[in-house]
Amino acid sequence: MQFDSIDENYPYSEETYRIIKCALEVSHYFGSGFLESVYQRALEIELRDAGFSIESQKNIPVSYKGHDLGSPYRADIVVNDSIILELKAISKLTKSDEKQAIHYLKATGYSLALLLNFGNKSGLEWKRIINTYTKSSDEQMI
C-alpha cells in the first residue's frame, strides 16, 4: 500500500503520515513472520524517536448508562492520548479486526484508530478507522 502524502481530509492526517512512516521502518527492518510483540516494541522505539508520546497496553474502560463495566479492552498503543494503534501480525486484516478498532473508538470517544498489520508477506498493511459515533457523557453503547 502506497503512502506518500498527507491527506488533509482526515483527522490527525499529519500524525497518521508520521505514524505510518514509523511502521514502515519497522516493517522494512523485520519483514513478516515475527510475533506481534516484537513489532510493537520496535514501533514504540520508532514512535518515541519521532517525538510522539505513547502509552502501551492502555486499558480501555467501558460504561453503560453511567455505570462502570471495567476495562475489558486494551489498546496496543495510544499515541498522544488521541490515536489508537491496533497491531496485528497476521496474513491479512479482517472485518473482525476492524470491528475491534471500532469498539475501541466507541469506548474511548477518540476519533481515529489505525490498524497496522506486520504479518502480510507483501509488506505493511494498514487501515484508518474513523469514529463516526458520538459518545455522550452519560452513556455509550458498544
Side-chain angles (χ1 to χ4, degrees):
M1 192 174 281
Q2 187 174 1
F3 191 73
D4 55 8
S5 64
I6 297 172
D7 188 338
E8 300 290 332
N9 297 321
Y10 295 104
Y12 301 106
S13 59
E14 182 179 334
E15 292 87 346
T16 298
Y17 177 78
R18 292 175 49 220
I19 291 166
I20 299 297
K21 281 182 69 173
C22 291
L24 284 168
E25 180 67 26
V26 172
S27 178
H28 289 140
Y29 186 88
F30 285 116
S32 64
F34 283 85
L35 294 173
E36 180 183 312
S37 60
V38 172
Y39 296 111
Q40 180 170 340
R41 289 184 197 129
L43 182 57
E44 289 169 1
I45 292 167
E46 286 294 325
L47 291 168
R48 283 189 189 106
D49 287 351
F52 288 109
S53 168
I54 67 165
E55 292 180 77
S56 296
Q57 299 298 311
K58 182 175 181 177
N59 288 328
I60 299 176
V62 176
S63 63
Y64 173 74
K65 295 185 177 181
H67 298 276
D68 181 14
L69 301 179
S71 298
Y73 298 117
R74 186 170 295 151
D76 290 329
I77 300 173
V78 175
V79 176
N80 293 348
D81 199 30
S82 57
I83 303 169
I84 295 171
L85 304 185
E86 183 57 29
L87 280 55
K88 302 293 180 189
I90 55 180
S91 61
K92 185 170 178 59
L93 289 174
T94 67
K95 290 290 182 190
S96 178
D97 299 320
E98 292 177 31
K99 289 178 183 178
Q100 180 184 12
I102 291 168
H103 290 312
Y104 289 5
L105 291 174
K106 286 181 181 179
T108 61
Y110 291 172
S111 59
L112 178 66
L114 296 174
L115 287 174
L116 302 170
N117 180 22
F118 294 91
N120 189 309
K121 291 184 188 231
S122 299
L124 180 71
E125 178 184 18
W126 63 274
K127 183 159 182 95
R128 178 184 355 229
I129 309 291
I130 297 173
N131 188 357
T132 58
Y133 303 92
T134 58
K135 179 181 173 186
S136 77
S137 59
D138 295 325
E139 62 183 65
Q140 67 190 52
M141 182 177 72
I142 293 187

